[in-house]
Amino acid sequence: MKKSFLMTLFLLGSIVMTGQNSTSIIQQYLEANSEVLKLSTTDIKDWTITDQHTSRQSGATYVYIRQQYQGIGIFNGVANFAIKHGKVVSFGNRLVQNIDKKASYATPTLNPYEAIQSAAQQLNLLSPSDLRVLEATSSTKFLYNKAGISLENIPVELMFQAIAEDDVRLVWNLSIYTLDANHWWSVRIDAHTGELVHKNDWVTHCKVDHTVFARCNHGNTKKSMKQSIGTFELPNSYNVFPLPLESPGHGDRSIVTDPADATASPYGWHDTDGVDGAEFTTTRGNNVFAYEDAGDTNNPNAGFSPDGGETLEFDFPYNPGDNPVEYQPAAITNLFYLNNMMHDIWYYYGFDEASGNFQFSNYGHGGEDGDYVLAEAQDGSGTNNANFATPPDGSNPRMQMYLWYGGFGDFLNIHSPAAIEGSYPATDAVFGPGLPETPITAEVVLVEDDTDPVNDGCETILNGADLAGKIALVDRGECNFTIKVLSAQNQGAVAVIVVNNTDGAPITMGGTEGQITIPSIMIFKSDGDLIKAELE
């Protein structure tokens, strides 16, 4: 017991000494370079360390500071330092110059309650309901409840904000995570006028144009990938599109066994307590909790997560021609796999616990715990998109993956008969070539095969001679899209139109088939019915 007690005192002393060294090194550096940086004595005398950590890769200690004036932080008055062997080896500067001449007051007219109301109004949100303080850390820093406008409690802090070269204002800094999870606004409200003077969104959205698929190499690009694999007793396997495959259009699924990296995820992907043995047999663990959110509830406890059982075997069927609901377990498994792989790979590039990565437990390696990724598959709040929300360290980031219905375009133009002449929206496929710049113009022929339903093109085609040089029309369902298109191609068709078999929007057709050399699109069921009626 005595040895343990003495060791604890020694470690605490080392931590304090490291902090003192960083502070003195930074202050000396700022004073020595103040003339070059055009910073006054007031500019550099009041600042605080907001974060610091030592990189395992470089051995440098990275320190982040925030400038203060009259004891109040300056939102964008920041600087970062890399310190090695007692010297600053790298420096990034956004400190505000001559702050005492630009910020003349530090007493707000608006209170934080009014600032939240003003922010909600200017962000076009609902009016806050039952808005109340949950915690007051100081006279300038508060935590308010969600108030019916935010998915998370609303932090508010009095700060300064440099708006322009000679304009520094007293502001209330706060964040609101909108109920649809599409925006996590970090905003500054003028503490005197209530004006929203600055905002940024912690949610990053990604939109992909449909023409991207035409530029993809859809061949099988599987490659071996070196990993430091941990040793686990369980099979611990996942049927996924393994890295470096980008999408189902770039290769096939395969079983990956024990993929967790022994350094980045030492207790596996399903652990949360740092003790051997999985806490979860579903797609949940220390780095990510993956689940479906088709109802757009943004509630992980309400969503479905596939269960791999005691042996953690996540092998679920996937057919790109099925309704996406049918392959939710496979999709969620793939999402769980990719999030964990990104976590483990980035760990080797310095994105570890101390630098603010995403983990439920940091296993005593520094940083804030409790911020594993909430990964929502087939999210119901949108389509043809994805987003990722990254709040400060210690809060859960959220990834929302929407269903992809493809890039709609007027890809189909009917010239005759006159009754249905015009342009029709459609989606393209991830397999085969993209639509050419020069339009394909040809007659349309409805495919007939020898088994009911006879228009799906899944069995032996009976009217193959009629398809030569024509555009084949087939119904969705019964077999993979690639089978339909390849069968029509083998009969001489120059393109294929797939008619959706539900009243919903057409989807981007998935699948892998290197032999397909003709383009294909999918149209709405109602539009397909019109065309078929004219062909009868």
Side-chain angles (χ1 to χ4, degrees):
M1 179 64 71
K2 186 175 181 180
K3 288 183 179 179
S4 298
F5 184 67
L6 290 174
M7 184 176 290
T8 301
L9 288 177
F10 173 77
L11 289 172
L12 287 173
S14 298
I15 293 171
V16 172
M17 183 61 70
T18 300
Q20 290 174 339
N21 284 340
S22 296
T23 300
S24 60
I25 290 170
I26 290 172
Q27 187 62 42
Q28 291 170 12
Y29 182 87
L30 291 174
E31 291 174 358
N33 294 278
S34 60
E35 186 174 344
V36 175
L37 298 172
K38 299 180 180 180
L39 295 170
S40 68
T41 301
T42 303
D43 296 337
I44 61 175
K45 75 174 183 179
D46 189 6
W47 51 268
T48 183
I49 294 177
T50 57
D51 191 24
Q52 73 174 44
H53 70 277
T54 300
S55 170
R56 302 177 187 178
Q57 284 71 32
S58 67
T61 297
Y62 296 92
V63 185
Y64 304 84
I65 72 169
R66 185 183 303 282
Q67 190 179 14
Q68 296 185 149
Y69 179 62
Q70 297 184 17
I72 298 174
I74 302 173
F75 177 78
N76 51 353
V78 295
N80 57 278
F81 301 80
I83 301 173
K84 196 169 185 178
H85 305 309
K87 296 181 179 180
V88 174
V89 295
S90 178
F91 169 59
N93 175 39
R94 288 172 56 196
L95 300 176
V96 179
Q97 300 169 346
N98 301 314
I99 183 64
D100 56 334
K101 297 179 181 178
K102 300 174 182 178
S104 58
Y105 51 82
T107 303
T109 301
L110 271 67
N111 60 40
Y113 182 98
E114 294 168 324
I116 294 174
Q117 290 181 315
S118 180
Q121 181 180 11
Q122 293 176 79
L123 292 171
N124 296 316
L125 305 178
L126 298 173
S127 296
S129 61
D130 191 29
L131 181 61
R132 63 185 186 278
V133 178
L134 299 178
E135 181 182 351
T137 306
S138 68
S139 60
T140 60
K141 192 172 183 179
F142 308 87
L143 182 67
Y144 279 75
N145 65 332
K146 302 172 185 177
I149 62 171
S150 179
L151 289 174
E152 300 288 342
N153 292 327
I154 304 172
V156 191
E157 182 178 5
L158 190 66
M159 305 189 81
F160 284 106
Q161 165 88 42
I163 305 300
E165 179 65 26
D166 296 314
D167 186 8
V168 176
R169 303 190 196 180
L170 189 67
V171 298
W172 287 107
N173 176 45
L174 58 98
S175 62
I176 299 175
Y177 194 5
T178 59
L179 299 179
D180 60 6
N182 281 322
H183 301 282
W184 201 331
W185 294 115
S186 171
V187 301
R188 263 62 60 200
I189 300 294
D190 191 304
H192 290 276
T193 67
E195 176 191 0
L196 194 159
V197 296
H198 185 263
K199 70 177 181 179
N200 58 285
D201 194 351
W202 290 339
V203 177
T204 299
H205 295 263
C206 177
K207 289 187 177 180
V208 182
D209 186 86
H210 74 276
T211 56
V212 169
F213 294 117
R215 297 192 295 269
C216 288
N217 174 7
H218 295 128
N220 191 322
T221 57
K222 292 181 181 177
K223 299 178 181 178
S224 61
M225 190 172 177
K226 293 182 179 180
Q227 298 178 26
S228 174
I229 303 298
T231 301
F232 305 98
E233 295 180 358
L234 303 177
N236 200 31
S237 60
Y238 310 84
N239 193 350
V240 294
F241 293 96
L243 292 178
L245 295 183
E246 296 179 30
S247 73
H250 291 80
D252 301 322
R253 290 200 306 163
S254 60
I255 299 291
V256 177
T257 303
D258 289 345
D261 183 89
T263 300
S265 298
Y267 299 97
W269 286 348
H270 298 268
D271 174 83
T272 55
D273 64 359
V275 178
D276 287 337
E279 274 65 68
F280 297 96
T281 60
T282 59
T283 48
R284 181 177 182 178
N286 201 49
N287 309 323
V288 59
F289 182 3
Y291 53 94
E292 64 81 21
D293 189 29
D296 188 28
T297 65
N298 299 307
N299 181 1
N301 296 318
F304 161 75
S305 293
D307 197 319
E310 292 184 1
T311 55
L312 299 178
E313 295 179 84
F314 294 84
D315 184 8
F316 304 104
Y318 167 69
N319 183 346
D322 289 344
N323 187 308
V325 174
E326 300 298 325
Y327 52 77
Q328 276 183 353
I332 298 168
T333 296
N334 210 83
L335 186 61
F336 180 77
Y337 162 81
L338 281 175
N339 270 270
N340 277 293
M341 286 297 293
M342 288 187 286
H343 168 277
D344 289 2
I345 291 170
W346 290 341
Y347 199 91
Y348 283 90
Y349 289 88
F351 193 42
D352 54 16
E353 297 92 345
S355 63
N357 73 349
F358 312 130
Q359 294 184 189
F360 175 83
S361 171
N362 285 354
Y363 300 136
H365 295 156
E368 297 289 338
D369 293 308
D371 54 3
Y372 54 95
V373 175
L374 300 175
E376 299 176 346
Q378 299 187 4
D379 187 85
S381 63
T383 58
N384 298 352
N385 204 338
N387 67 54
F388 192 57
T390 51
D393 192 23
S395 297
N396 290 105
R398 176 179 269 108
M399 175 183 290
Q400 293 186 309
M401 305 299 293
Y402 301 153
L403 285 173
W404 178 258
Y405 291 112
F408 280 106
D410 293 332
F411 301 147
L412 177 62
N413 190 22
I414 297 178
H415 301 286
S416 64
I420 59 172
E421 183 178 336
S423 297
Y424 292 81
T427 57
D428 52 7
V430 301
F431 55 83
L435 294 171
E437 293 185 8
T438 302
I440 297 174
T441 302
E443 293 182 14
V444 175
V445 175
L446 181 62
V447 168
E448 296 179 9
D449 61 41
D450 63 358
T451 305
D452 283 332
V454 297
N455 301 131
D456 57 24
C458 293
E459 288 78 29
T460 301
I461 294 178
L462 300 178
N463 62 336
D466 297 333
L467 296 179
K470 308 294 176 57
I471 297 174
L473 184 72
V474 298
D475 287 337
R476 178 184 178 185
E478 303 299 324
C479 65
N480 291 341
F481 295 120
T482 53
I483 293 176
K484 301 173 187 290
V485 176
L486 185 59
S487 295
Q489 174 184 299
N490 290 339
Q491 299 298 326
V494 295
V496 174
I497 300 172
V498 178
V499 179
N500 201 0
N501 59 357
T502 68
D503 291 330
I507 66 171
T508 296
M509 295 180 288
T512 304
E513 177 51 74
Q515 299 182 61
I516 293 177
T517 59
I518 62 174
S520 56
I521 61 174
M522 180 184 288
I523 61 175
F524 282 86
K525 181 179 183 298
S526 56
D527 294 336
D529 290 342
L530 286 176
I531 296 173
K532 285 188 281 188
E534 291 294 329
L535 291 175
E536 292 178 353

